[in-house]
Amino acid sequence: MPGSGAGGQPDGSEARFVPPKSPHRRLSRWMLDVSGDRGVLKDVVREGAGELVTPDATVLVKYSGYLEHMDKPFDSNCFRKTPRLMKLGEDITLWGMELGILSMRRGELARFLFKPTYAYGTLGCPPLIPPNSTVLFEIELLDFLDSDESDKFCALSAEQQERFPLQKVLKVAATEREFGNYLFRQNRFYCAKVRYKRALLLLRRRSAPPEEQHLVEAAKLLVLLNLSFTYLKLEQPTRALHYGEQALIIDQKNAKALFRCGQACLIMTEYQKARDFLVQAQKEQPFNHDINNELKKLASCYRDYTDKEKEMCHRMFASYDNGSTVEENSRFFN
């Protein structure tokens, strides 16, 4: 009867140790090669929609980076309530992440494996990243803006911009407005104002044929409404009223413009003007809660104002009644 070797193997044969495949190696088997040399591999978790990210775009992404055999990310921005905008080639330093994002569409969620050449190299990033590490990144593309196109266009003179078709100008102005909207949502109102004004300048100095002028006016209206709201946030009601009235020149029945003007006048304690604007806004949108609440606020402020006026008059009369003769009082008020 033949003997048995260690591990139950028959005599004459040797046990071969086959190391288990690593999680990264198992995952890489069905991943898409993005870089062409399998240095950046991709697995789409959720499909996106629309166009691919453009080179030099500014992107809004959520991401988490993981080392192999680790459950907690070594780097992530998912804890932030609102991720910051990042420009490709400037704010994003990993070559693999840039290539990966360029393969994505809005709303897409994907996992990527970055080989050391496309990540942290032969040295790693002590003490977090060991040398020659392949890293896994989960990336969600929330949105992107073609900022490179916008920046280059805005750097041109008015004469140079005039040579481009109107659709180009409208696209760049929309990009600037979208930048402003993002900054506004981050409560960065001054920076938002700068972007909105940049868009408005593009639209104001662009001439258009009569049949296309309505496109320019519609774009200007959106920017003017945003500027009015931004100046309210900056506590500059005079400027807010100015841009609100500019919006009303384009659309005299625009409920948002009427509402913004009413808000500005209320802050400036111009109660009659505030009432006129808000009542017109209410006619356009009778069931708008914001407008109705602002009218209630106006009524309350006006009551407080009249009560203070009455109290002041009462004190004035009382001071004369106590310290002056009736004859002196009558001479003062005649």
Side-chain angles (χ1 to χ4, degrees), residues 256-319:
K256 278 189 178 180
L258 292 165
F259 178 55
R260 301 285 179 240
C261 290
Q263 286 180 300
C265 290
L266 177 54
I267 294 170
M268 293 187 291
T269 67
E270 296 185 13
Y271 297 123
Q272 186 58 54
K273 284 183 69 175
R275 182 183 179 281
D276 291 342
F277 282 122
L278 292 173
V279 167
Q280 288 182 67
Q282 190 184 51
K283 286 180 180 178
E284 299 302 322
Q285 295 185 4
F287 304 107
N288 186 301
H289 294 296
D290 291 334
I291 296 172
N292 293 332
N293 288 336
E294 199 71 10
L295 277 166
K296 292 176 183 177
K297 180 180 176 182
L298 170 63
S300 176
C301 290
Y302 187 70
R303 279 196 301 271
D304 292 343
Y305 168 76
T306 53
D307 288 345
K308 287 178 181 178
E309 287 284 298
K310 289 177 183 177
E311 183 180 352
M312 186 173 67
C313 289
H314 175 74
R315 287 178 179 176
M316 185 171 62
F317 276 108
S319 66

Side-chain angles (χ1 to χ4, degrees), residues 221-266:
L221 178 61
L222 294 175
V223 177
L224 289 166
L225 290 171
N226 289 354
L227 272 169
S228 182
F229 195 15
T230 302
Y231 273 109
L232 285 174
K233 292 292 187 180
L234 289 170
E235 299 181 354
Q236 297 183 39
T238 304
R239 300 300 294 165
L241 178 61
H242 169 76
Y243 286 109
E245 289 178 328
Q246 290 291 308
L248 289 173
I249 293 174
I250 298 173
D251 180 3
Q252 62 181 352
K253 293 185 176 182
N254 188 280
K256 278 189 178 180
L258 292 165
F259 178 55
R260 301 285 179 240
C261 290
Q263 286 180 300
C265 290
L266 177 54

Side-chain angles (χ1 to χ4, degrees), residues 27 55 58-59 89 95 98 125 165 167 194 220 243 293 299 314 333:
L27 182 61
T58 297
V59 299
W95 187 17
E98 183 167 351
C125 188
Q167 290 303 319
V194 171
K220 283 167 59 177
Y243 286 109
N293 288 336
H314 175 74
F333 286 105

Side-chain angles (χ1 to χ4, degrees), residues 12-60:
S13 65
E14 294 183 2
R16 291 185 60 192
F17 175 72
V18 179
K21 289 184 178 178
S22 71
H24 283 180
R25 290 187 70 182
R26 288 198 301 268
L27 182 61
S28 68
R29 293 176 63 183
W30 61 79
M31 296 180 82
L32 176 68
D33 184 3
V34 172
S35 60
D37 59 1
R38 298 196 64 79
V40 178
L41 301 176
K42 176 181 180 181
D43 174 36
V44 177
V45 179
R46 184 183 66 232
E47 295 283 351
E51 300 176 353
L52 291 173
V53 175
T54 54
D56 299 312
T58 297
V59 299
L60 185 62

